Amino acid sequence: MKSMKHLMLAAATAASLLSTALPAAAQANDQFIAIPSYRVGPYGTNGQSYYGGYVDYLNYVNMKDGGINGVKLSWEECETEYNNAKGVECYERMKNKNPVTKGTAINSMATGISYALIDKSAEDKVPLLMMGYGRTDAVDGSVFPYAFPLVTTYQMQVSAIVKFLASKNGGSLAGKKIVFLYHDSAYGKEPIVALQAESSIGKFKLIEIPVAHPGNEQGAQWLRIRQENPDYVIFWGWGVMNQTALKAAQKVGYARDKIIGSWWAGSEEDTIPAGDAAKGYMSATWNVAGKNVPVIADIDKVVYGAGKGNMQDKNKVGSILYNRGVSAAIATVEAVRTAQDKFGKGKVMSGEQVRWGLENLNITNARLQQLGATGLLPEIKTSCENHEGSGMVKIQQWDGSKWVLVSDWIEGNKNLIHPLFKASAAKYAKEKGITPACMK
């Protein structure tokens, strides 16, 4: 009987998880969106909020507007567990579904998976959307025509963090000591070249300390930080690694208001489980939290009011990661809308046409206001030369119960960072035999 109860409980749990990921049924005349997501594993809690927001907005557009100029959105999720091989398997499985050939952007929310897909997606003509993650050098659309690291890249983000810290020290970090504590993966390593360049021109000492996946063991790293006694820790964590770091910092007596994380280390999923250890901690962000953003409040009313919300825990609607998922979905939908403006309103757009839409995005503050998303994310204007579109972040601080903004929009040092990714893109083009050129 006990065994039977365990089986029944497991089945119920599986069914519950599955219900959050059920797709809208794909039809031949739908704009289909393949979503390689993760809702289980060490990063699953974060994925649940992000993809919950992403799916809720797609559903909202269908329910509120009847789709994009009458074209309904449909989607399907495939569980990757934040694993690169599984991410590729999901992509291969979903790209063979007929609607994918009429595709919209693939959004894996995983830098390692996006690295693995960057060549495949270009070959298949499926845009690779990397909202706040992925390869920084993919900003160069002449080399990476199908890859879009939208809003702000890791390198511009870390540069903005350095600018913010300098502003707290009379405009200079010269003579300071900064530890870069990072997830030992493509995600964690991505900003290192920019941080080394900042260290060189800013004349501060940089100490790089990696943390092995998934990051729930950091005792040795924090003992070293205590020994080094740096002025600041720039923290590039994800998932369970984040709350572990905050608790470890408290244990060794390192002040949390001297730690500033990336936007993937700055959510309620990171701070609430850490309790008092999180108070004072700061992070970068490219979107705000809260239900006071009109579109978030309207999703709550329209989607959840009809009992069709994607989140099992409705209290997370309006959280940082939920709102970030909504932001990513807004960019996806606006890319399709932009493509329709050129290739035909009321028509399903191909992957090639959506690529054009992503490369010609112009999400102004006026447009954000129309969408009810004023202040939710920065303006985005892309081109072949700039697949990033913004480069801006804000800094937020955890006050013990909520995130509070402590800066306005900050732009990283573009004159320093853009030549770095241009050089990287040129090297990639040479290795792959690509002749850089802008697509029409």
Side-chain angles (χ1 to χ4, degrees):
M1 283 297 293
K2 188 177 290 187
S3 209
M4 180 63 72
K5 285 181 180 178
H6 286 165
L7 285 171
M8 290 172 69
L9 179 61
T13 302
S16 177
L17 284 171
L18 181 61
S19 68
T20 66
L22 285 176
Q27 303 293 328
N29 57 348
D30 286 348
Q31 188 74 44
F32 180 81
I33 302 173
I35 307 175
S37 63
Y38 46 93
R39 295 181 184 253
V40 300
Y43 312 101
T45 303
N46 306 68
Q48 287 169 25
S49 295
Y50 178 90
Y51 285 107
Y54 193 87
V55 170
D56 275 346
Y57 185 76
L58 302 181
N59 205 9
Y60 172 74
V61 170
N62 281 347
M63 295 174 69
K64 181 87 170 180
D65 302 326
I68 306 172
N69 295 312
V71 178
K72 285 291 187 77
L73 299 165
S74 62
W75 55 89
E76 181 175 326
E77 288 191 56
C78 180
E79 178 62 50
T80 71
E81 298 180 27
Y82 197 75
N83 177 281
N84 295 350
K86 288 183 179 179
V88 173
E89 287 174 13
C90 282
Y91 171 80
E92 294 292 349
R93 185 186 313 159
M94 290 190 288
K95 81 172 186 182
N96 291 324
K97 295 179 182 290
N98 184 52
V100 159
T101 62
K102 299 168 183 170
T104 314
I106 294 286
N107 177 22
S108 69
M109 201 179 65
T111 296
I113 294 175
S114 70
Y115 263 73
L117 293 180
I118 205 158
D119 292 334
K120 292 175 182 288
S121 60
E123 183 180 341
D124 295 332
K125 295 183 169 56
V126 175
L128 183 63
L129 182 60
M130 302 180 290
M131 289 285 287
Y133 65 91
R135 288 188 66 126
T136 297
D137 56 6
V139 172
D140 187 349
S142 70
V143 177
F144 299 94
Y146 278 86
F148 292 86
L150 286 178
V151 188
T152 306
T153 59
Y154 288 143
Q155 291 182 21
M156 283 293 282
Q157 176 188 192
V158 83
S159 178
I161 288 173
V162 168
K163 183 181 286 188
F164 173 76
L165 293 177
S167 74
K168 293 169 68 68
N169 290 273
S172 173
L173 290 172
K176 301 293 185 182
K177 184 190 294 186
I178 296 178
V179 161
F180 180 56
L181 184 68
Y182 65 96
H183 192 280
D184 196 8
S185 65
Y187 153 61
K189 295 173 183 176
E190 183 70 23
I192 288 177
V193 64
L195 199 47
Q196 289 173 341
E198 287 282 9
S199 171
S200 179
I201 65 169
K203 295 181 170 52
F204 60 85
K205 183 178 180 181
L206 177 65
I207 301 168
E208 300 164 20
I209 303 178
V211 176
H213 158 84
N216 52 2
E217 294 291 338
Q218 297 179 44
Q221 287 89 345
W222 282 97
L223 282 175
R224 184 180 173 193
I225 289 171
R226 184 174 68 179
Q227 292 166 357
E228 294 284 357
N229 192 27
D231 295 281
Y232 297 102
V233 171
I234 296 178
F235 178 57
W236 232 252
W238 184 225
V240 69
M241 175 177 169
N242 299 338
Q243 56 182 281
T244 302
L246 293 172
K247 291 175 182 177
Q250 182 185 50
K251 187 176 181 180
V252 301
Y254 191 82
R256 264 72 72 214
D257 61 2
K258 291 185 177 182
I259 309 173
I260 185 164
S262 80
W263 48 59
W264 300 120
S267 70
E268 292 84 352
E269 282 80 1
D270 308 316
T271 50
I272 291 174
D276 291 342
K279 190 173 182 179
Y281 168 65
M282 293 182 288
S283 83
T285 184
W286 53 260
N287 68 282
V288 299
K291 289 185 182 180
N292 58 334
V293 179
V295 69
I296 303 300
D298 208 32
I299 289 171
D300 194 14
K301 177 183 174 182
V302 172
V303 180
Y304 285 84
K308 295 185 177 181
N310 190 264
M311 294 295 296
Q312 285 182 297
D313 184 356
K314 186 174 176 289
N315 291 326
K316 290 188 176 182
V317 173
S319 67
I320 280 287
L321 287 175
Y322 180 90
N323 287 8
R324 189 165 298 160
V326 171
S327 301
I330 285 174
T332 305
V333 169
E334 290 305 293
V336 175
R337 198 184 307 277
T338 300
Q340 283 192 10
D341 287 344
K342 178 176 175 64
F343 300 107
K345 289 185 178 180
K347 295 182 179 179
V348 175
M349 295 291 101
S350 69
E352 294 162 280
Q353 291 167 334
V354 174
R355 187 215 69 81
W356 187 92
L358 283 163
E359 193 166 272
N360 290 275
L361 272 178
N362 187 20
I363 305 177
T364 63
N365 280 327
R367 179 57 181 157
L368 288 171
Q369 185 174 11
Q370 290 174 348
L371 295 169
T374 302
L376 178 62
L377 67 160
E379 292 183 296
I380 301 174
K381 184 174 176 58
T382 57
S383 65
C384 172
E385 294 76 21
N386 187 349
H387 278 194
E388 182 179 40
S390 171
M392 310 285 269
V393 303
K394 289 185 177 183
I395 306 300
Q396 60 183 2
Q397 187 168 32
W398 185 251
D399 72 357
S401 63
K402 64 184 182 301
W403 289 106
V404 178
L405 291 172
V406 293
S407 83
D408 201 345
W409 292 112
I410 303 172
E411 183 180 49
N413 187 346
K414 190 178 287 186
N415 291 332
L416 174 68
I417 303 304
H418 279 219
L420 292 176
F421 75 66
K422 281 283 187 183
S424 178
K427 180 181 177 183
Y428 182 89
K430 185 176 180 180
E431 290 172 354
K432 297 288 184 176
I434 297 170
T435 301
C438 290
M439 297 179 69
K440 301 296 183 183

